[in-house]
Amino acid sequence: MVLIGFAKDNGFSLPEIKLFLHGFPSSVPAGDRWRKLATSKIQQLEANIAKARAMEQMLRSLMKCRCTTIDQCARGIAAYLKKRPA
């Protein structure tokens, strides 16, 4: 089905697609269904983007590492983790 392929290509999981197709009363228009699912998917994407940006920043800072031993590096990482907000 074209709709299933479209939804999968745009990041919707099979359970989300099932919800779109069968998880609403038949009186709920397709547009309302998409809005509900898209709102949830956008929140997921925003969280993933924030996590990816944080990972990128950490990787860029690791590229500047001047530690000479693994132990020195581990101590530096431990100190960093103690200081950062949870």
Side-chain angles (χ1 to χ4, degrees):
M1 178 183 234
V2 173
L3 183 100
I4 293 171
F6 171 81
K8 284 175 64 177
D9 288 347
N10 284 284
F12 290 97
S13 66
L14 290 177
E16 290 168 329
I17 296 166
K18 182 178 178 183
L19 176 65
F20 175 80
L21 296 172
H22 305 293
F24 293 88
S26 60
S27 61
V28 176
D32 290 347
R33 295 173 190 217
W34 280 125
R35 272 184 283 287
K36 178 155 179 62
L37 292 175
T39 298
S40 175
K41 186 57 68 180
I42 288 169
Q43 290 171 345
Q44 290 173 16
L45 286 171
E46 288 172 344
N48 289 342
I49 290 167
K51 184 177 178 180
R53 285 188 176 136
M55 289 172 63
E56 178 187 19
Q57 286 179 328
M58 179 53 62
L59 292 171
R60 290 191 185 283
S61 82
L62 289 173
M63 291 174 62
K64 299 173 188 171
C65 178
R66 300 288 180 245
C67 296
T68 56
T69 68
I70 298 296
D71 287 339
Q72 182 184 17
C73 196
R75 286 191 301 274
I77 290 171
Y80 165 79
L81 292 174
K82 268 186 152 176
K83 287 194 255 182
R84 77 174 184 172

